[in-house]
């Protein structure tokens, strides 16, 4: 009954930027953390960025300093601004939602269907 829909993916040259958006409906958006994961062909799905309901963020080392996650609780939206994109950023990006412990551990429960990001040299 919780629906997450990603948008904003596409093809871009290395060094360019993209902004991904995720619209959430149903559930309790403001009470849960949200995040972005990605999966490249033949590779394990990995965490990219997570944001708590209060706005605390965490990033994978590979994207720190290049990507920014943000959210708008009033609009039930979460965003991922991706800058200085590299070919290794090519993957399907998935928006997700789930609980976060007081220690910062995140457990995604609900998932969107993903949006493709392709970065060429």
């Amino acid at each position: 009954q919780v629906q997450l829909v990603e948008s904003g993916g596409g093809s871009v040259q290395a060094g360019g930027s993209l902004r991904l958006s995720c619209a959430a409906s149903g559930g309790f958006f403001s009470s849960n953390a949200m995040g972005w994961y990605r999966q490249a062909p033949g590779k394990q799905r990995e965490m990219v960025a997570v944001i708590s309901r209060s706005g605390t963020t965490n990033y994978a080392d590979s994207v720190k300093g290049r990507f920014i996650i943000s959210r708008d609780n009033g609009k039930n939206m979460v965003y991922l601004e991706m800058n200085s994109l590299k070919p290794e950023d090519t993957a399907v990006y998935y928006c997700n939602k789930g609980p976060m412990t007081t220690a910062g551990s995140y457990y995604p429960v609900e998932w969107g269907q993903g949006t493709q990001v392709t970065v060429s040299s």
Side-chain angles (χ1 to χ4, degrees):
Q1 294 183 354
V2 175
Q3 185 177 19
L4 303 174
V5 181
E6 302 96 336
S7 62
S11 298
V12 65
Q13 290 185 318
S17 298
L18 285 173
R19 190 189 193 200
L20 306 183
S21 299
C22 175
S25 61
F28 299 94
F29 181 90
S30 63
S31 64
N32 289 329
M34 298 189 71
W36 291 92
Y37 281 53
R38 67 185 181 187
Q39 187 168 26
K43 296 184 178 179
Q44 185 173 318
R45 187 173 296 186
E46 63 178 352
M47 186 273 287
V48 176
V50 176
I51 185 167
S52 74
R53 62 182 179 180
S54 62
T56 301
T57 59
N58 188 36
Y59 298 92
D61 288 341
S62 60
V63 307
K64 190 173 296 183
R66 298 189 297 121
F67 291 12
I68 301 173
I69 187 171
S70 61
R71 67 189 295 171
D72 186 332
N73 291 343
K75 296 181 179 179
N76 286 345
M77 298 285 291
V78 63
Y79 308 94
L80 185 68
E81 182 74 29
M82 304 184 294
N83 303 301
S84 301
L85 283 162
K86 305 174 181 179
E88 52 262 43
D89 294 319
T90 296
V92 177
Y93 284 71
Y94 298 90
C95 174
N96 46 70
K97 180 181 180 183
M100 179 180 285
T101 70
T102 55
S105 297
Y106 176 61
Y107 302 92
V109 176
E110 305 292 339
W111 294 80
Q113 294 190 357
T115 185
Q116 177 71 48
V117 172
T118 302
V119 184
S120 60
S121 299

